[in-house]
């Protein structure tokens, strides 16, 4: 989210950008309204990083290629934080991608597909939160800015990753949320965080097994449209 003031057609300068105070959420209400904007326009953030220490290939850096584990962490902290990951992979002097880079990318891709390829939360009868359609979303009734929904799986599932997505064709709205699991006697909160945007990936400290999950939107700028709630298990 980037706030603008005045005529939107005339606003295209670096000083329109708002920098969040350290520790504050870039999409928090305080940051977005600090300059008293007339309206908000959503733009995807971009995270630029190289697979090597620099942007160009050097034979001496073959041993310094980012590991698959490091690439996976970059994925979580960029794509999993509502951003686009632009990963620089420089060609060598022969115009090809070197073997260390290729091996790291292949392993990274395999892990992403193995982890996030199948949503373990697939309720009987379907749900807009699990149908993999961005514009098919759950919203609290009555145009409310907060609310909760329970999704039940036919069988217990074990997971250690939670993925959420908003229908960003309607803008980014969620400001805070929580995900709870039913332990057989009570609800237990496993995730509580701020904004969602296009995608939010949360890691759990340990795997959890349940057949019933509750999403609570605690605050939003407008009636939220949550397109996805996914449960996944790292291989």
């Amino acid at each position: 989210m980037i706030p603008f003031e005045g005529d939107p057609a005339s606003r295209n300068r670096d000083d329109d950008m708002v920098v969040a105070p350290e520790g504050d959420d870039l999409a928090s209400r305080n940051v977005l309204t600090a300059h008293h904007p007339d309206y908000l326009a959503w733009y995807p953030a971009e995270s630029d990083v190289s697979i090597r220490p620099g942007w160009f290939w050097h034979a001496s850096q073959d041993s310094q290629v980012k590991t698959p584990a490091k690439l996976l962490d970059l994925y979580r902290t960029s794509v999993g934080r509502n951003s686009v990951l632009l990963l620089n992979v420089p060609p060598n002097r022969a115009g090809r991608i070197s073997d260390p880079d290729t091996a790291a990318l292949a392993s990274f891709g395999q892990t992403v597909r193995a982890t996030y390829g199948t949503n373990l939360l697939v309720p009987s009868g379907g749900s807009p939160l699990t149908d993999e359609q961005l514009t098919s979303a759950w919203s609290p009734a009555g145009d409310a800015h907060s609310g909760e929904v329970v999704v039940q799986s036919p069988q217990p599932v074990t997971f250690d990753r939670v993925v959420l997505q908003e229908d960003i064709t309607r803008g980014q709205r969620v400001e805070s949320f929580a995900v709870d699991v039913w332990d057989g006697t009570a609800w237990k909160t496993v995730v509580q965080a701020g904004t969602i945007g296009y995608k939010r990936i949360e890691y759990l400290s340990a795997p959890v097994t349940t057949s019933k999950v509750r999403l609570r939107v605690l605050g939003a700028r407008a009636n939220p449209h949550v397109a996805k709630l996914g449960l996944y298990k790292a291989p």
Side-chain angles (χ1 to χ4, degrees):
M1 287 279 194
I2 297 176
F4 291 88
E5 301 172 20
D7 178 12
S10 67
R11 310 301 286 180
N12 190 27
R13 304 194 304 271
D14 289 344
D15 58 5
D16 291 327
M17 302 296 289
V18 174
V19 178
E22 185 166 347
D24 205 348
D25 191 308
L26 285 171
S28 69
R29 189 182 295 262
N30 288 340
V31 172
L32 292 175
T33 59
H35 291 244
H36 306 289
D38 297 323
Y39 75 100
L40 296 174
W42 186 87
Y43 287 88
E46 182 178 288
S47 301
D48 301 341
V49 65
S50 181
I51 198 170
R52 288 169 171 259
W55 293 100
F56 299 97
W57 177 87
H58 299 283
S60 61
Q61 295 178 349
D62 279 357
S63 63
Q64 297 175 274
V65 173
K66 288 182 173 59
T67 64
K70 179 60 178 176
L71 293 174
L72 191 65
D73 189 58
L74 285 170
Y75 181 83
R76 176 182 65 87
T77 55
S78 58
V79 175
R81 288 297 181 273
N82 193 24
S83 181
V84 175
L85 173 60
L86 179 58
L87 180 63
N88 174 66
V89 185
N92 57 30
R93 292 179 181 176
R96 300 174 65 86
I97 303 301
S98 294
D99 290 344
D101 307 61
T102 301
L105 289 170
S107 179
F108 164 58
Q110 290 168 0
T111 302
V112 170
R113 288 189 294 271
T115 303
Y116 301 107
T118 303
N119 186 355
L120 301 175
L121 183 61
V122 183
S124 56
S127 165
L129 289 169
T130 60
D131 63 7
E132 302 297 332
Q133 300 296 316
L134 178 62
T135 56
S136 171
W138 166 82
S139 298
D143 206 34
H145 293 194
S146 61
E148 63 182 54
V149 59
V150 175
V151 181
Q152 185 154 0
S153 171
Q155 301 293 332
V157 295
T158 300
F159 65 99
D160 56 11
R161 305 284 189 270
V162 178
V163 176
L164 294 109
Q165 292 184 267
E166 286 185 71
D167 174 5
I168 55 169
T169 66
R170 299 173 181 269
Q172 180 178 325
R173 301 183 176 192
V174 175
E175 292 183 312
S176 59
F177 70 93
V179 176
D180 311 317
V181 298
W182 183 256
D183 66 5
T185 57
W187 289 105
K188 176 183 177 183
T189 299
V190 293
V191 172
Q192 185 162 340
T195 57
I196 295 175
Y198 172 70
K199 183 172 288 187
R200 178 114 190 182
I201 300 175
E202 290 289 340
Y203 285 15
L204 305 188
S205 58
V208 171
T209 300
T210 188
S211 59
K212 191 158 54 174
V213 181
R214 181 174 67 180
L215 168 64
R216 289 182 289 135
V217 174
L218 305 175
R221 285 182 275 275
N223 184 234
H225 295 263
V226 183
K228 179 172 184 175
L229 172 59
L231 307 180
Y232 301 87
K233 178 72 169 61

